[in-house]
Amino acid sequence: MEPTVIDVPEADRYEIRDGDRRLGLAAYQRRGDQVVFTHTEVDDDSEHSGLGSTLVRAALDDVRSKGGTVVPLCSFVRGWIQRHPEYQDLVATDR
């Protein structure tokens, strides 16, 4: 099964899942239309590679689809955006 990413707003996080198994998460805080990413973690023991990238890309695509912006306090999210300049426009300029 291919991992899927879902927003779990009641837990303030995006999750990457393989069926019922959570493989990772990207925690956030919402501030209006801003999503402040605070922490990302993925399962090191998973047979899937690139989980962090899949998780962050899907989360950022979701924020973009809703017209929001992001504040990448999490170093993983910040580094991912730096390596993918096509996502720079999502970074809030008025933190």
Side-chain angles (χ1 to χ4, degrees):
M1 177 178 260
E2 188 69 25
T4 58
V5 176
I6 59 169
D7 186 10
V8 186
E10 62 275 9
D12 297 321
R13 66 184 180 214
Y14 285 90
E15 295 181 355
I16 187 165
R17 303 187 72 82
D18 187 357
D20 291 336
R21 182 173 166 223
R22 188 179 75 210
L23 303 173
L25 62 91
Y28 63 76
Q29 299 169 353
R30 290 209 184 266
R31 296 182 187 159
D33 67 347
Q34 283 187 346
V35 178
V36 181
F37 285 98
T38 58
H39 177 72
T40 303
E41 61 185 60
V42 293
D43 183 358
D44 290 335
D45 297 330
S46 174
E47 66 276 4
H48 303 286
S49 62
L51 288 176
S53 185
T54 300
L55 172 60
V56 170
R57 181 183 303 275
L60 294 177
D61 286 346
D62 186 60
V63 172
R64 184 188 304 279
S65 75
K66 296 174 181 172
T69 58
V70 300
V71 178
L73 295 183
C74 168
S75 60
F76 185 84
V77 174
R78 187 171 48 254
W80 194 91
I81 291 171
Q82 288 171 348
R83 290 186 305 278
H84 297 86
E86 65 272 24
Y87 286 85
Q88 283 286 334
D89 64 309
L90 283 176
V91 177
T93 56
D94 59 335
R95 296 184 188 189

